Amino acid sequence: MENCVYAKKCGGCAYQGVEYKKQLKRKKKWVADLLKPYCEVERIVGMEDPYHYRHKVHAAFGHVKGKGIVAGVYKEGTHHIVDIDSCQIENEKADAIIRDIKGLMGSFKIKAYDEDKGFGLLRHVLVRCGYHTKEYMVVLVLADPILPSKNNFVKALRKLHPEISTVVININDKRTGMVLGERNITIYGKGYIEDELCGRRFRISPSSFYQVNPEQTEILYREALDMAELKGRERIVDAYCGTGTIGIIAAEKVKEVIGVELNKDAVRDALNNARMNQVKNISFYSQDAGKFLCALADQKETVDVVIMDPPRSGSSEEFLNAVTTLMPEKVLYISCNPETLARDLKYLTAKGYRAKKAVAFDLFPFAGHVESCVLLERVSNRKADSYVKLNVKMEDYYRIKDAEKKTDE
Ligand code: SAH
């Protein structure tokens, strides 16, 4: 494929102009160098076709004197919008939807928002699409809840793109760098889309976390769970569980899953996802993962496997310390940042764990990120001597903690 014409201005692709095979080699070396003290990296799993993989596409809208409406990304480190018509890594239909929204704005008299003056209506457009379901969600981020002739606008847009299954207005009237505000108003369809991952169905709401590259995510989750060699009797924790994807996929392979996630909306989605997939051996808790794990350790609960998938900043010392108190037989660490992964491995390998296997996955071709998965095994048997399983039901425990929290506030 030709080099991207926007590359210099956009700056979104760290590996622009680098042959894909070379990108993979460099990313693997990056992870391997960082993990060298702990474990060898077996391989990196790349994509057969590394283009147009992003299923979440965002465009900032603005107005430029003499040029009119612009829609695209902020030039790196600035607030100038680079006008982009299409992108090599974004879903092509999503790009077309954004182009057509831009085209329709004039006849519907919709003004793009002006950040400096705080004037205008349309700030951002977010398009999310299901990889298997091909459902499309359009989120119009507006500075004001009123979109003139909204029904006709949706009609005109759906005439061009019948694949759009839902349209949501998100209101962001704050002068912040955040794309989405807190309020959503569904103006067409259900207000969310669904997608499938590893044979399970998941709901994607405007703001819920869902991996941007579902094709590679399926490969990552399958291989990660294979690495854990689950036997069916385990009680596992899915920490930083988001909308419950990993835990729900793992549920049929284990006895019980406990998911923990900070974001309350994500937990709501997770509960819904479990119900939708008729997964019954799973429960979700909305708490800081570190605090939750500490509480489990305090209660002398038994956990066989901890699966952790923290954000880029990695895990916390509190969390890692609780892992080394709970002493699960295995820890499966899925990471989107090899730097913090290496930091956390240093901690775990100093306190009773051995990194047994590591594989890197390219979920972000052309971009400067890489995903990794490491399986750690317990080497010392401290836990077997010092812990006795207490028969506390998690639901009871949660209610107690919840009540405590309420009285604290
Ligand atoms: N496992 C999920 C989500 C991974 S993204 C998936 O694959 O889809 C990381 C998640 O960690 C986000 O959902 C974020 O909200 C959550 N998170 C961030 N800090 C957290 C914390 N301190 N405790 C619990 N969850 C946290």
Side-chain angles (χ1 to χ4, degrees):
M1 197 172 280
E2 296 273 307
N3 280 356
C4 169
V5 293
Y6 306 105
K8 276 209 178 100
K9 283 186 184 163
C10 157
C13 288
Y15 291 89
Q16 183 54 235
V18 181
E19 195 196 333
Y20 188 54
K21 267 195 187 143
K22 275 198 189 138
Q23 295 182 29
L24 290 175
K25 240 181 161 169
R26 285 201 208 162
K27 286 187 182 181
K28 185 184 166 207
K29 186 174 180 314
W30 178 28
V31 183
D33 286 350
L34 283 162
L35 300 199
K36 205 170 176 186
Y38 319 106
C39 179
E40 203 177 294
V41 176
E42 247 180 34
R43 63 191 205 288
I44 182 162
V45 182
M47 293 189 81
E48 234 163 73
D49 174 8
Y51 298 99
H52 303 295
Y53 61 84
R54 278 192 68 99
H55 281 58
K56 176 181 170 183
V57 175
H58 160 236
F61 276 68
H63 195 275
V64 170
K65 244 194 181 156
K67 199 169 177 197
I69 297 168
V70 289
V73 297
Y74 292 115
K75 187 177 171 152
E76 232 185 348
T78 75
H79 255 230
H80 297 297
I81 297 167
V82 184
D83 198 23
I84 289 179
D85 262 355
S86 64
C87 165
Q88 293 184 342
I89 62 171
E90 290 173 354
N91 178 280
E92 287 173 288
K93 274 206 172 128
D95 280 351
I97 291 171
I98 291 170
R99 276 198 306 274
D100 286 328
I101 289 175
K102 192 170 142 189
L104 286 173
M105 283 168 72
S107 51
F108 281 87
K109 298 193 171 44
I110 299 170
K111 293 222 159 40
Y113 184 73
D114 182 323
E115 266 201 340
D116 299 325
K117 294 186 187 128
F119 171 81
L121 185 62
L122 184 64
R123 300 184 72 159
H124 306 270
V125 171
L126 187 70
V127 180
R128 307 190 77 169
C129 39
Y131 172 68
H132 285 288
T133 57
K134 310 283 177 236
E135 290 179 16
Y136 283 73
M137 167 165 60
V138 173
V139 184
L140 305 167
V141 184
L142 307 182
D144 185 289
I146 295 162
L147 177 68
S149 15
K150 62 174 193 283
N151 293 339
N152 287 336
F153 180 76
V154 169
K155 220 185 208 169
L157 186 60
R158 284 203 69 252
K159 197 166 171 206
L160 295 169
H161 295 283
E163 67 274 17
I164 296 173
S165 50
T166 190
V167 181
V168 178
I169 288 177
N170 174 276
I171 300 138
N172 186 354
D173 51 12
K174 300 213 168 62
R175 287 199 175 189
T176 68
M178 297 286 285
V179 172
L180 293 178
E182 276 170 18
R183 238 175 96 202
N184 289 315
I185 305 169
T186 303
I187 57 170
Y188 177 79
K190 297 179 291 190
Y192 58 86
I193 54 166
E194 288 178 6
D195 197 17
E196 273 167 30
L197 267 185
C198 303
R200 298 279 182 260
R201 236 178 141 82
F202 295 97
R203 176 184 289 198
I204 307 166
S205 309
S207 57
S208 53
F209 179 90
Y210 190 73
Q211 289 281 7
V212 297
N213 184 345
E215 187 183 346
Q216 283 293 88
T217 302
E218 281 198 315
I219 298 171
L220 163 72
Y221 288 172
R222 279 216 176 94
E223 191 151 342
L225 291 175
D226 279 352
M227 266 161 86
E229 292 183 340
L230 300 163
K231 301 277 188 305
R233 293 182 302 270
E234 297 90 344
R235 184 187 209 199
I236 71 169
V237 167
D238 176 11
Y240 309 91
C241 70
T243 55
T245 38
I246 300 173
I248 288 170
I249 294 163
E252 63 173 12
K253 301 180 200 302
V254 298
K255 191 165 169 223
E256 185 192 353
V257 185
I258 303 163
V260 58
E261 159 67 45
L262 198 57
N263 180 322
K264 286 198 171 61
D265 292 337
V267 173
R268 206 168 302 128
D269 281 348
L271 286 165
N272 238 315
N273 287 334
R275 216 170 295 132
M276 190 157 61
N277 289 288
Q278 291 172 355
V279 173
K280 301 215 165 72
N281 56 339
I282 195 163
S283 45
F284 293 101
Y285 301 91
S286 161
Q287 252 196 48
D288 169 77
K291 293 208 162 37
F292 182 76
L293 226 64
C294 272
L296 281 187
D298 283 349
Q299 295 270 321
K300 300 196 171 23
E301 290 283 341
T302 301
V303 171
D304 303 298
V305 182
V306 168
I307 299 178
M308 53 191 287
D309 184 12
R312 292 184 53 71
S313 52
S315 190
S316 63
E317 194 158 345
E318 191 177 30
F319 183 94
L320 297 171
N321 190 37
V323 169
T324 59
T325 311
L326 274 170
M327 276 278 163
E329 208 178 300
K330 294 171 193 170
V331 176
L332 187 67
Y333 195 140
I334 298 172
S335 156
C336 55
N337 181 355
E339 314 267 348
T340 51
L341 170 66
R343 180 200 67 197
D344 294 349
L345 287 184
K346 187 173 178 186
Y347 190 100
L348 290 171
T349 53
K351 294 205 174 186
Y353 283 89
R354 178 173 65 97
K356 196 183 168 201
K357 185 176 166 150
V359 178
F361 297 84
D362 190 21
L363 262 61
F364 316 101
F366 294 94
H369 302 296
V370 64
E371 198 87 5
S372 323
C373 181
V374 178
L375 176 72
L376 294 116
E377 274 187 348
R378 190 177 70 207
V379 279
S380 76
N381 251 340
R382 209 149 52 83
K383 177 184 159 191
D385 310 328
S386 55
Y387 280 113
V388 188
K389 183 173 166 30
L390 280 190
N391 225 352
V392 180
K393 262 174 56 198
M394 280 306 301
E395 273 74 11
D396 296 341
Y397 162 70
Y398 185 62
R399 261 181 235 130
I400 296 162
K401 281 310 267 189
D402 219 29
E404 276 172 9
K405 233 173 69 196
K406 272 187 195 128
T407 48
D408 280 346
E409 280 162 5

